[in-house]
Amino acid sequence: MLWLYLHFPYLLLEHFQQSETASRPMALIGGHPPRIIQLNPEAARAGVAEGQSPQTASALADNLHLIAADMEEQTGVLDQQAVWLYRHAA
């Protein structure tokens, strides 16, 4: 039996980025109170950082797209990736 370990630390953020026609600052928010938990390079260049409040991040990048982190959606995206990989690995 063969095993393959893949690590997707930014899976949900990258999933949302691929549906965008142009790159723009994007960040995932989560927790209570909400905080930035992941961001793309465009957001980082605008000064956004993990741990910031959504208000601070939006003030730094006026066109920042904030996305609520949804672990159920991330599980679905991971399942889709696994099905695709298994289909092509066999």
Side-chain angles (χ1 to χ4, degrees):
M1 177 185 294
L2 294 175
W3 287 88
L4 175 65
Y5 173 80
L6 300 171
H7 185 64
F8 300 110
Y10 300 104
L11 180 65
L12 192 55
L13 184 61
E14 290 172 352
H15 171 71
F16 285 109
Q17 275 186 288
Q18 75 181 10
S19 64
E20 296 285 320
T21 56
S23 64
R24 65 176 174 161
M26 298 176 77
L28 289 179
I29 56 172
H32 296 287
R35 296 286 178 209
I36 303 295
I37 56 175
Q38 287 182 2
L39 58 136
N40 68 357
E42 289 83 4
R45 282 192 290 277
V48 178
E50 290 182 10
Q52 287 178 335
S53 70
Q55 296 83 1
T56 301
S58 294
L60 292 168
D62 60 345
N63 60 343
L64 179 65
H65 183 196
L66 294 172
I67 303 163
D70 181 353
M71 292 304 118
E72 288 182 25
E73 185 167 6
Q74 181 168 311
T75 300
V77 171
L78 187 58
D79 287 344
Q80 290 172 357
Q81 291 294 319
V83 167
W84 185 87
L85 286 167
Y86 281 122
R87 188 177 331 137
H88 289 43

